[in-house]
Amino acid sequence: MFFVDTLEIEGLGNRSYLAGGAGTALVVDPPRDIDQVITAAARRGVRIVLVAETHVHNDYVSGGLELARVTGARYLVPAGASVAFTRTPVTDGDTYAVDDGLTVRAIATPGHTPHHTSYVLAEGGREVAAFTGGSLLIGTVGRPDLVDPRLTGELARAQHSSAHRLADELDDEVAVLPTHGFGSFCSAAPAEGAATTIGQERTGNAVLTQDVDTFVAGLLSGLDDVPAYYAHMSPANAAGPAPVDLTAPKPADAEEIASRLAAGEWVVDLRNRVAFAQGHVAGSVNFEGDGKLATYLAWLMPWGKPVTLLAETSEQVAEAQRELVRVGIDRPAAAATGEPAHWIRPGERLASFPRARFADLAAARERGEPVVVLDVRRDAERARGSVAGSVHIPVHALPQRIGEVPDGVVWVHCAGGTRAATAASLLDAAGRAVVAIDDAFDAAAEAGLTAPAPESTG
């Protein structure tokens, strides 16, 4: 009997897979922190003999090269990918033994990247699962615009062809096991559900129900923003990522925290947004440790800027480190844990700002208070509705555009509160008076604040 274990990389919205039989196994699209993969294999009692990449990833640093080195496994990488290290180049139709009676076959599925390859697992000659990477996802496909703008249209059409090839070659009951689509910005649209099959996708996925022109038009019109750090992921993966170092960073005292802030470095507070608003080191930025920390911190922070982490416990720092190495932020400059009162020098005071709900904003407007409403959601979110009279600057663009925020008290909101807290911390660090709206956006309509169409300054 074969098995397939799913390794959730929740912060990045991806999955990796360990698949095998009684003694040996295959790993598909491993994360950079390979210790969890090795642990999963040990739990199964199997030896990893194959490590396979569906493509050179655009959204995270792969652990494939290091996992293959540590385990002695063959490292399968699509032949069309230009990489600087020794690997087994995979071409369409290549088949590899995973375990007794268990094989994996490569199928060229260009679209997400020109060299994208899917892998189909077969037991006793019967195909049972397809590892589709960024090709066929649950209800959608991987986005085609991450490689080169000049190739986007061509790759969108290739996605359509690749999905149809999978549907034509595989039986309805074959499980579809994608890498992207669980919150990753590599997905062309949010995936719905946690599991699917070729048969389900055949009837429910636009790529398989629409003609190519209709599908491509819809795909290209719905693409969301691209995280800025993506530009650094593919080159890192092509060069061959270094092993990770997850040992604890050096401790920082109040003097060092102040010095790093004065030097223009980033000091990131990982505590929840309520605690941060109540009291924090002036100039620090709030990224909740249980949110999409790696995605948004890597997106907002200037690439290569030293970062110091502040948290309640060393465990929170360690978990943040694990997330950050996945996107190429290899080592925090320093870290501090405990109470925020210990992070400031004698004579200094913690900074703070108020939190509110949309009903409070409506009341402030009714009282005639001059308020600035800042919407930090992405363009696609705002297109579905906005607060009347609000200014729109997506949170990922705020560090560069903070000077565009009009004078006055800034009431900042997102869709639920997490990004608003980050934006509020950026504004607070810049010396602006701010109120963080910690509320679901549906409450804006209930408070009578929404407009039928977006109003934007850019």
Side-chain angles (χ1 to χ4, degrees), residues 141-225:
V141 295
R143 57 193 299 168
D145 62 327
L146 300 179
V147 177
D148 185 327
R150 296 169 296 181
L151 298 178
T152 298
E154 175 186 335
L155 290 177
R157 290 181 173 274
Q159 279 290 49
H160 189 271
S161 296
S162 292
H164 279 262
R165 181 183 177 188
L166 289 170
D168 290 343
E169 292 192 15
L170 303 177
D171 293 337
D172 281 352
E173 61 269 21
V174 172
V176 175
L177 303 173
T179 299
H180 303 313
F182 309 96
S184 168
F185 283 89
C186 274
S187 177
E192 296 183 3
T196 191
T197 63
I198 288 291
Q200 289 173 287
E201 294 308 302
R202 199 189 305 278
T203 59
N205 193 321
V207 72
L208 295 174
T209 60
Q210 296 177 348
D211 65 81
V212 62
D213 291 332
T214 302
F215 168 74
V216 168
L219 176 65
L220 298 184
S221 67
L223 294 175
D224 209 336
D225 300 319

Side-chain angles (χ1 to χ4, degrees), residues 364 368-372 407-411:
E369 296 179 14
V371 299
V372 176
D407 293 338
V409 178
V410 184
W411 292 59

Side-chain angles (χ1 to χ4, degrees), residues 23 51 110 140 165 174 207 238 242 261 279 293 300-301 318 331 379 387 405:
V51 176
T140 183
R165 181 183 177 188
V174 172
V207 72
L261 283 169
L293 169 66
L300 272 69
M301 189 179 73
R331 290 290 297 166
D379 292 348
V387 172
V405 181

Side-chain angles (χ1 to χ4, degrees), residues 26-396:
L26 156 80
V27 176
V28 180
D29 290 342
R32 195 177 183 197
D33 49 323
I34 62 171
D35 57 326
Q36 63 174 308
V37 182
I38 293 171
T39 298
R43 191 178 299 119
R44 280 284 186 180
V46 294
R47 179 169 56 91
I48 297 170
V49 294
L50 295 172
V51 176
E53 302 283 10
T54 56
H55 59 295
V56 175
H57 301 282
N58 295 290
D59 63 327
Y60 69 92
V61 181
S62 172
L65 182 62
E66 179 66 2
L67 182 61
R69 186 190 68 81
V70 168
T71 62
R74 294 182 72 178
Y75 190 25
L76 310 182
V77 178
S82 178
V83 297
F85 48 82
T86 301
R87 88 289 194 201
T88 298
V90 176
T91 59
D92 185 51
D94 288 350
T95 301
Y96 303 90
V98 179
D99 197 77
D100 291 340
L102 197 64
T103 61
V104 66
R105 174 172 66 97
I107 298 182
T109 48
H112 186 47
T113 67
H115 60 265
H116 191 283
T117 299
S118 298
Y119 298 90
V120 179
L121 189 70
E123 182 184 43
R126 181 177 66 90
E127 293 177 327
V128 293
F131 302 102
T132 55
S135 182
L136 184 64
L137 311 186
I138 301 178
T140 183
V141 295
R143 57 193 299 168
D145 62 327
L146 300 179
V147 177
D148 185 327
R150 296 169 296 181
L151 298 178
T152 298
E154 175 186 335
L155 290 177
R157 290 181 173 274
Q159 279 290 49
H160 189 271
S161 296
S162 292
H164 279 262
R165 181 183 177 188
L166 289 170
D168 290 343
E169 292 192 15
L170 303 177
D171 293 337
D172 281 352
E173 61 269 21
V174 172
V176 175
L177 303 173
T179 299
H180 303 313
F182 309 96
S184 168
F185 283 89
C186 274
S187 177
E192 296 183 3
T196 191
T197 63
I198 288 291
Q200 289 173 287
E201 294 308 302
R202 199 189 305 278
T203 59
N205 193 321
V207 72
L208 295 174
T209 60
Q210 296 177 348
D211 65 81
V212 62
D213 291 332
T214 302
F215 168 74
V216 168
L219 176 65
L220 298 184
S221 67
L223 294 175
D224 209 336
D225 300 319
V226 178
Y229 74 90
Y230 276 23
H232 304 279
M233 298 297 97
S234 181
N237 286 320
V244 300
D245 178 3
L246 293 175
T247 59
K250 72 173 186 175
D253 59 16
E255 286 290 345
E256 181 168 1
I257 292 170
S259 176
R260 291 190 176 279
L261 283 169
E265 298 181 10
W266 275 46
V267 173
V268 172
D269 192 324
L270 301 170
R271 295 176 301 146
N272 71 70
R273 57 186 182 264
V274 176
F276 182 89
Q278 290 173 343
H280 56 269
V281 177
S284 62
V285 185
N286 183 215
F287 289 86
E288 289 186 316
D290 58 357
K292 294 180 76 67
L293 169 66
T295 295
Y296 279 102
L297 178 54
W299 197 344
L300 272 69
M301 189 179 73
W303 190 253
K305 181 77 73 174
V307 58
T308 295
L309 302 178
L310 308 179
E312 293 170 331
T313 67
S314 57
E315 289 78 14
Q316 291 169 334
V317 172
E319 184 56 36
Q321 278 185 264
R322 183 175 290 276
E323 288 200 42
L324 295 179
V325 298
R326 294 171 182 162
V327 294
I329 302 176
D330 285 3
R331 290 290 297 166
T337 58
E339 296 293 328
H342 298 150
W343 303 338
I344 56 174
R345 295 172 295 189
E348 293 180 332
R349 299 180 62 184
L350 294 172
S352 64
F353 52 76
R355 298 164 52 251
R357 298 193 175 278
F358 281 108
D360 301 316
L361 171 60
R365 281 184 163 181
E366 289 175 5
R367 293 191 297 269
E369 296 179 14
V371 299
V372 176
V373 180
L374 176 63
D375 180 350
V376 297
R377 297 174 300 157
R378 298 187 302 277
D379 292 348
E381 295 173 283
R382 185 173 171 86
R384 296 191 288 269
S386 62
V387 172
S390 60
V391 175
H392 180 223
I393 303 176
V395 67
H396 59 265

